[in-house]
Each structure stands twice: as structure tokens, then as C-alpha cells.
Amino acid sequence: MAQGCLKCLKYTMCVANFLCFMCGVAVLGFGVYMMMNFNLMSLTPRLSNINIPKMLLISGIIITCVAFLGFLGALKENRCLLLTFFLMLFLLMLVELTAACLLLVFEEKIGEAVKEDLKKGLDEAKKQKGNSSMSDWDMVQNTFYCCGIYNSSDWDSKVPKSCCQTECETAHPHYKTQGCLEKLNNWFEKNFLITGISVIILCIIEVLGMCFAMTLFCHISRSGLGYKI
């Protein structure tokens, strides 16, 4: 009976880690796609080193590596791989919890930094109309139906077509009234609950993964098959 349960646990870990591996590959591919097609963090120059495409790339690589370790460790019943899998999951959970605490503590400062960077990004786009910064602003303004940081006056006399509610060719074009900062804040607030729930679910999955890995590790240690290949 115990052997049957442990076999079930082993193959459950294999299937779960294989699915996580495929998810990691998908995240990695999406990160590559975004890096090749978008450069949204040109709107915020100081945060260019932690832009979304790079974060997706790093997340995809970490997920695939950890999932591969868990899959191979369970399949081969290898104590070394299982222990590495356990430690990596534990470290990931610590990093996630630390990041969540830092975001809560420095939420206001981060908001101010993003606001300042948006102003710098908009000033840069006004100086070099037609470059990648300008196209990024166009995409954001079309996606969130907004104009500038606060309103169309942020663009001075160089208001782009993406700010127009109707055709810009008229003598008195009508611009979108809401700024992108307000729209982005509203979007983040709406998705904050979903993000929080996702983090909690992810932590629960990681704890279960650590429990399964340690259970399998202890069984293999008792059976003397610690380095079976």
C-alpha cells in the first residue's frame, strides 16, 4: 500500500513538473517575443534594467530549470536532484515573499519614481518624435485610451495622433481627456487582487512541491537508492 502511494506521488510529481516546464517554456517564448517587438520601459528610463520582457525571460528560465530538476529527480529517484529542487523552491518562495513585502513598504516611493520616469520618457519622446519611445507612447495611449501623463497639455504643441478621440486632421481636434498615469494606476488597482491571489496560490503550490520532494527524498534514503541513475 505504501509503495503504491509513493509510486503515485512519484508520477504525480513528474506530471506536475512537466506541465510547469511547458509553462516556463511558454513564458520564456513570450518574453523573447516582447523583447523583439516592444520596449515599453523606454517610457521609464531608470527602470529599463528591470523591464517586463527581461523579467519574463528570467522567470521562464528559472521555472524551466526548477521544473526540470523536479521532473528528473522524481523520475530517476535521485536524492541529490530532489534536494536541489527542494532548496530552489524554498529560495524562490523567500524571494517572492521578500519582493511582496518590499513592494508593500515602498509602494509610495515606487509610484513617485515611476511618475518621474514617465515625465522623463515623455520629454525624450517630444525631442525625438518618430523614434521607439514615441511608438511606445502611441501603443500605451491607444491601449488605455489616454493622452500624456495627466492630459494632452503634457505634449505641448506636439500632440501625437494617438491622443485624438476622432480625426486629428480637423482644425480643432478632440483629445482624450484622461492621462495615462491615472489609467495605469486604475488598471494596477483592478488587477491587484488577482495578483495577490496568484502569489498565494503559487506559494501553496511551492510548499506542496517541497513536501512531496522531501517525502520522496526520505523514502529513497530509507530504501538505499539515493543515487540511482
Side-chain angles (χ1 to χ4, degrees):
M1 183 69 179
Q3 285 292 113
C5 290
L6 286 165
K7 270 193 174 181
C8 179
L9 177 62
K10 170 184 171 178
Y11 291 115
T12 300
M13 272 193 70
C14 287
V15 172
N17 280 292
F18 177 75
L19 292 174
C20 287
F21 180 84
M22 296 306 296
C23 289
V25 171
V27 171
L28 185 61
F30 187 59
V32 172
Y33 171 78
M34 286 194 69
M35 185 167 283
M36 293 176 65
N37 292 276
F38 305 108
N39 188 25
L40 292 179
M41 294 311 294
S42 63
L43 304 184
T44 56
R46 287 189 302 174
L47 302 180
S48 59
N49 292 326
I50 52 170
N51 59 33
I52 294 173
K54 286 183 180 178
M55 290 176 67
L56 288 173
L57 278 174
I58 294 169
S59 300
I61 292 169
I62 292 172
I63 291 169
T64 52
C65 290
V66 173
F68 180 76
L69 281 174
F71 175 83
L72 197 61
L75 185 66
K76 297 294 185 179
E77 298 184 2
N78 188 299
R79 280 193 307 171
C80 183
L81 292 176
L82 285 171
L83 186 59
T84 305
F85 173 72
F86 175 88
L87 291 174
M88 288 187 74
L89 276 184
F90 180 70
L91 289 174
L92 277 175
M93 191 169 64
L94 285 182
V95 169
E96 289 162 9
L97 292 174
T98 302
C101 291
L102 288 174
L103 284 173
L104 287 173
V105 172
F106 297 104
E107 182 182 2
E108 189 174 341
K109 289 184 179 179
I110 292 171
E112 289 298 321
V114 170
K115 190 187 298 183
E116 289 177 14
D117 269 5
L118 283 174
K119 290 178 181 177
K120 289 182 180 179
L122 188 138
D123 290 339
E124 188 66 26
K126 285 192 290 187
K127 292 175 186 175
Q128 303 175 7
K129 192 170 182 180
N131 70 349
S132 61
S133 296
M134 191 64 250
S135 63
D136 289 340
W137 272 102
D138 286 334
M139 189 180 69
V140 170
Q141 290 175 155
N142 286 324
T143 303
F144 290 95
Y145 201 76
C146 58
C147 182
I149 299 173
Y150 300 104
N151 50 53
S152 59
S153 63
D154 295 324
W155 288 103
D156 299 329
S157 59
K158 298 181 178 180
V159 183
K161 291 183 179 180
S162 57
C163 275
C164 298
Q165 289 183 343
T166 56
E167 291 295 327
C168 277
E169 307 301 327
T170 59
H172 301 286
H174 296 285
Y175 298 124
K176 298 165 186 173
T177 55
Q178 279 190 293
C180 293
L181 182 62
E182 182 183 352
K183 287 276 190 171
L184 287 169
N185 283 336
N186 291 339
W187 184 83
F188 280 115
E189 286 174 6
K190 286 178 183 177
N191 289 275
F192 184 78
L193 180 61
I194 297 172
T195 304
I197 292 172
S198 300
V199 170
I200 292 170
I201 292 172
L202 184 60
C203 287
I204 292 171
I205 291 171
E206 287 170 346
V207 170
L208 288 174
M210 288 190 291
C211 291
F212 289 162
M214 192 49 63
T215 302
L216 200 55
F217 175 88
C218 292
H219 168 69
I220 294 167
S221 298
R222 286 196 299 268
S223 63
L225 299 174
Y227 298 95
K228 181 181 175 182
I229 297 177

